[in-house]
């Protein structure tokens, strides 16, 4: 076993070693980072940091907490730790199971916490973590220093030389970064905070029952599985509201829950703090619940719907209609997640189309509405976000070129913008006023679960277009949101502003 392996310890072991060093009167220096691709800038930063004390400890961000974009980290946490431990200037290495260094700082209490010069301007840190880390150091009287050594970007090197992107994606990003930079897009994301947003649509409870396939039963052609565990998520319009609330400061959610098996306490617990819910009630029906049986690779084996086909709202929806009639015009942006499960009725469609200042809609095809639900139930939509089957169903056109079908559908619903999400083929958006199609290839190289990615795209792109941003920017940021979401199991987490900013930075380096 090489010496580098003996240098790799747990955080508790590193904290104990730091305590012993201090007792011996030695000065402990701590560095922290991802170190996905070790390069000259890293080595000089570590060597310079070592000069500030007697021993240098380094913590490296664990794989599950690296949120830097597609295909990251390229090197797993054990390889990254081993590379650091191989350096003579490094005394101990530990893997940190967190997004920030705050916990290691509090455990290790280094005399010096060293950061690279790029962190000197705290405003450039989109996470805000550097300020929290400095506060943690200063709590016990430690010192923060910034090294002024040569810097490189691991992200730039990985983008350029490690084949993270397809050739199509590389060409797209080269063209896009010539017209837009990360700082500009970060500012545009910040400006979304001022929007007052209404989300309307079907509340859905998504359940995953994790199972292990056991093969065919002894009698009959039936697959047997062993139950292992289960997990529940807040989906549909609830997920859209949570995505939107990561960017817009004020969000209202209008939806309906069942008068039995409502899951109301769970839904309220899952809503972000800046989402105000307005709940209608279905009569003699549960809140729509979709139970999926999945294996541990998240392959879907079977799905069960718990819902009432064509449910009736209490008082025939008059209270919800009156609320919308009186309030819809107050919002800068109305996002409709219409899953065709019975909440968005004809009167709501009329009110939303007549009254909304900016109306964004997804009319989703699913097993509960296939063949009976399409975007053209709306007489006017400012922005429609559809997948290709949803687009083609709207005009019953299976074979004509996508662009032609999009123009026909956009004309029918008076849309100013229409996006088509295409999974591994990325997404396109028609800017109807300019008769221009923008295209973005898929921006994720790793897909964990596609459930919910369309909702993330709808949420992000809708806000951008409502704020008046150009179609290419809205399409790009919507695609970033989707790329992040496909790396999340179902709706376990919503997208957030910091994650989107970090992803944008990585893509445009």
């Amino acid at each position: 076993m090489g010496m580098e392996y003996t240098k790799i310890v747990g955080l508790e072991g590193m904290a104990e070693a730091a305590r012993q060093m201090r007792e011996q009167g030695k000065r402990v220096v701590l560095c922290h980072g991802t170190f996905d691709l070790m390069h000259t800038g890293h080595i000089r930063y570590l060597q310079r940091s070592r000069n500030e004390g007697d021993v240098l400890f380094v913590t490296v961000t664990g794989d599950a907490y690296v949120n830097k974009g597609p295909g990251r980290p390229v090197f797993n946490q054990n390889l990254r730790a081993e590379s650091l431990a191989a350096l003579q200037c490094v005394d101990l290495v530990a893997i940190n199971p967190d997004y920030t260094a705050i916990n290691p700082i509090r455990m290790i209490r280094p005399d010096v916490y060293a950061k690279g010069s790029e962190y000197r301007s705290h405003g450039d840190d989109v996470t805000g973590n550097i300020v929290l880390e400095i506060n943690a150091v200063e709590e016990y009287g430690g010192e923060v220093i910034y090294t002024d050594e040569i810097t490189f970007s691991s992200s730039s090197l990985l983008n350029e030389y490690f084949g993270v992107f397809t050739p199509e994606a590389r060409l797209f990003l080269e063209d896009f970064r010539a017209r837009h930079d990360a700082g500009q897009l970060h500012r545009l994301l910040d400006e979304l905070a001022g929007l007052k947003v209404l989300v309307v649509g079907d509340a859905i409870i998504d359940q995953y029952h994790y199972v292990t396939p056991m093969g065919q039963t002894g009698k009959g052609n039936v697959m047997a599985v062993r139950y292992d565990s289960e997990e529940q998520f807040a989906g549909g319009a609830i997920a859209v509201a949570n995505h939107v609330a990561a960017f817009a400061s004020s969000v209202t959610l209008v939806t309906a829950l069942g008068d039995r098996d409502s899951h109301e306490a769970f839904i309220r617990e899952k809503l972000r703090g800046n989402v105000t819910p307005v709940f209608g009630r279905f009569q003699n029906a549960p809140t729509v619940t979709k139970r999926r049986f999945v294996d541990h690779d998240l392959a879907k084996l079977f799905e069960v719907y718990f819902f009432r086909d064509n449910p009736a709202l209490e008082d025939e929806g008059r209270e919800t209609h009156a609320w919308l009639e009186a309030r819809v015009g107050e919002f800068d942006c109305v996002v409709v997640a219409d899953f065709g499960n019975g909440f968005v009725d004809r009167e709501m469609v009329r009110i939303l189309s007549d009254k909304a200042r900016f109306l964004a809609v997804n009319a989703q095809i699913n097993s509960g509405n296939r063949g009976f639900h399409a975007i053209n139930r709306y007489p006017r939509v400012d922005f429609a976000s559809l997948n290709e089957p949803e687009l083609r169903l709207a005009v019953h056109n299976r074979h004509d070129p996508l662009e032609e079908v999009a123009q026909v559908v956009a004309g029918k619903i008076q849309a100013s913008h229409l996006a088509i999400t295409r999974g591994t083929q990325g997404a396109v958006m028609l800017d109807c006023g300019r008769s221009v199609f923008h295209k973005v290839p898929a921006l994720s190289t790793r897909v964990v679960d596609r459930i919910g990615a369309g909702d993330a795209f709808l949420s992000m792109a809708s806000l951008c277009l409502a704020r008046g941003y150009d179609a290419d920017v809205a399409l790009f940021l919507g695609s970033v949101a989707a790329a992040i979401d496909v790396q999340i199991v179902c709706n376990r987490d919503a997208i957030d502003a910091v994650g989107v900013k970090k992803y944008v930075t990585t893509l445009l380096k």
Side-chain angles (χ1 to χ4, degrees):
M1 180 177 291
M3 181 181 293
E4 62 269 18
Y5 291 100
T6 65
K7 290 185 180 181
I8 301 173
V9 297
L11 284 177
E12 294 79 7
M14 184 174 282
E16 174 59 22
R19 185 188 66 78
Q20 294 176 10
M21 291 297 105
R22 285 193 298 272
E23 286 182 354
Q24 297 171 27
K26 293 184 178 179
R27 189 170 165 88
V28 177
V29 182
L30 177 67
C31 291
H32 172 79
T34 303
F35 304 100
D36 197 8
L37 177 64
M38 188 65 66
H39 53 67
T40 303
H42 287 144
I43 294 169
R44 291 194 183 181
Y45 154 63
L46 294 167
Q47 289 173 332
R48 170 68 179 81
S49 300
R50 178 68 167 75
N51 291 337
E52 291 293 321
D54 300 296
V55 292
L56 175 61
F57 295 168
V58 182
T59 53
V60 59
T61 306
D63 291 347
Y65 305 92
V66 176
N67 185 17
K68 286 195 169 189
R72 305 305 201 269
V74 170
F75 298 98
N76 68 46
Q77 60 191 29
N78 296 323
L79 291 174
R80 290 183 283 126
E82 185 180 330
S83 296
L84 287 162
L87 297 176
Q88 186 176 2
C89 62
V90 175
D91 294 286
L92 287 180
V93 180
I95 295 167
N96 178 36
D98 202 348
Y99 292 101
T100 79
I102 295 170
N103 187 51
I105 288 169
R106 288 175 173 162
M107 292 176 66
I108 297 159
R109 299 170 66 88
D111 299 284
V112 176
Y113 182 55
K115 299 296 289 182
S117 60
E118 67 270 25
Y119 290 95
R120 193 185 299 274
S121 177
H122 300 165
D124 294 337
D125 175 29
V126 298
T127 67
N129 290 334
I130 185 63
V131 173
L132 299 177
E133 292 171 0
I134 290 171
N135 291 341
V137 174
E138 292 177 346
E139 283 173 7
Y140 62 86
E143 177 187 0
V144 178
I145 67 114
Y146 301 93
T147 66
D148 289 307
E149 302 303 313
I150 185 172
T151 60
F152 296 95
S153 166
S154 291
S155 294
S156 296
L157 293 169
L158 290 166
N159 288 350
E160 184 69 22
Y161 299 111
F162 276 70
V164 172
F165 301 110
T166 64
E168 181 187 13
R170 286 187 64 179
L171 287 173
F172 165 79
L173 290 170
E174 286 174 12
D175 175 69
F176 191 83
R177 79 168 61 92
R179 294 178 285 112
H180 305 282
D181 64 70
Q184 170 216 0
L185 296 180
H186 290 177
R187 290 189 293 275
L188 293 179
L189 288 167
D190 290 339
E191 290 173 9
L192 298 176
L195 291 172
K196 184 178 181 183
V197 183
L198 173 65
V199 175
V200 179
D202 298 284
I204 297 173
I205 299 297
D206 290 300
Q207 296 177 344
Y208 276 17
H209 283 226
Y210 300 104
V211 298
T212 300
M214 299 168 63
Q216 187 176 330
T217 60
K219 297 179 180 179
N221 299 316
V222 179
M223 169 71 77
V225 299
R226 185 188 72 228
Y227 170 85
D228 292 316
S229 62
E230 62 190 76
E231 190 173 5
Q232 185 164 274
F233 313 96
I238 310 163
V240 171
N242 281 334
H243 291 320
V244 168
F247 303 91
S249 299
S250 173
V251 181
T252 301
L253 168 65
V254 174
T255 188
L257 308 181
D259 61 358
R260 55 184 171 83
D261 298 326
S262 71
H263 299 276
E264 181 172 352
F266 173 76
I267 290 168
R268 288 186 180 275
E269 175 192 338
K270 291 299 180 181
L271 283 172
R272 276 187 156 139
N274 56 326
V275 178
T276 302
V278 178
F279 293 140
R281 293 287 170 182
F282 288 126
Q283 292 180 314
N284 302 314
T287 297
V288 176
T289 300
K290 299 181 181 182
R291 180 176 297 169
R292 297 177 178 93
F293 292 82
V294 302
D295 66 18
H296 289 275
D297 292 324
L298 297 181
K300 279 71 173 177
L301 306 177
F302 193 70
E303 186 168 333
V304 180
Y305 274 55
F306 297 84
F307 80 129
R308 181 179 174 184
D309 195 16
N310 194 29
L313 283 167
E314 290 179 349
D315 74 359
E316 298 179 335
R318 283 188 290 271
E319 185 175 344
T320 303
H321 298 157
W323 191 99
L324 290 171
E325 187 82 49
R327 301 285 300 277
V328 163
E330 299 174 6
F331 295 89
D332 301 305
C333 178
V334 179
V335 183
V336 182
D338 186 352
F339 292 83
N341 293 324
F343 174 63
V344 182
D345 59 22
R346 290 178 182 175
E347 181 62 10
M348 288 187 207
V349 169
R350 182 196 66 78
I351 295 168
L352 294 167
S353 296
D354 286 349
K355 301 277 187 178
R357 290 192 222 167
F358 182 91
L359 181 62
V361 180
N362 169 237
Q364 187 193 85
I365 293 176
N366 55 54
S367 302
N369 66 38
R370 188 175 299 277
F372 298 96
H373 185 60
I375 189 66
N376 53 12
R377 70 189 297 238
Y378 292 82
R380 168 235 154 189
V381 173
D382 294 295
F383 169 53
S385 177
L386 308 168
N387 63 27
E388 189 168 348
E390 290 160 356
L391 177 80
R392 292 187 179 280
L393 177 68
V395 286
H396 303 287
N397 188 322
R398 183 182 295 181
H399 299 298
D400 284 347
L402 188 69
E403 291 80 0
E404 293 180 14
V405 178
Q407 288 174 325
V408 172
V409 173
K412 285 182 176 292
I413 60 175
Q414 305 178 56
S416 56
H417 294 89
L418 188 150
I420 306 102
T421 55
R422 308 186 71 198
T424 58
Q425 298 179 67
V428 300
M429 183 181 289
L430 170 62
D431 182 339
C432 303
R434 299 175 183 175
S435 296
V436 173
F437 276 92
H438 299 278
K439 297 183 179 182
V440 173
L443 298 178
S444 178
T445 57
R446 174 174 173 260
V447 176
V448 173
D449 190 353
R450 289 188 172 87
I451 297 292
D455 299 335
F457 179 93
L458 168 72
S459 303
M460 187 80 262
S462 297
L463 296 180
C464 292
L465 292 171
R467 194 70 176 79
Y469 299 163
D470 289 341
D472 66 331
V473 169
L475 179 62
F476 175 74
L477 291 175
S479 298
V480 167
I484 294 171
D485 196 86
V486 297
Q487 299 176 62
I488 299 170
V489 175
C490 196
N491 291 296
R492 184 181 286 166
D493 299 300
I495 58 172
D496 64 81
V498 169
V500 171
K501 287 180 178 178
K502 290 175 73 173
Y503 211 97
V504 166
T505 298
T506 297
L507 290 171
L508 299 184
K509 277 190 173 178

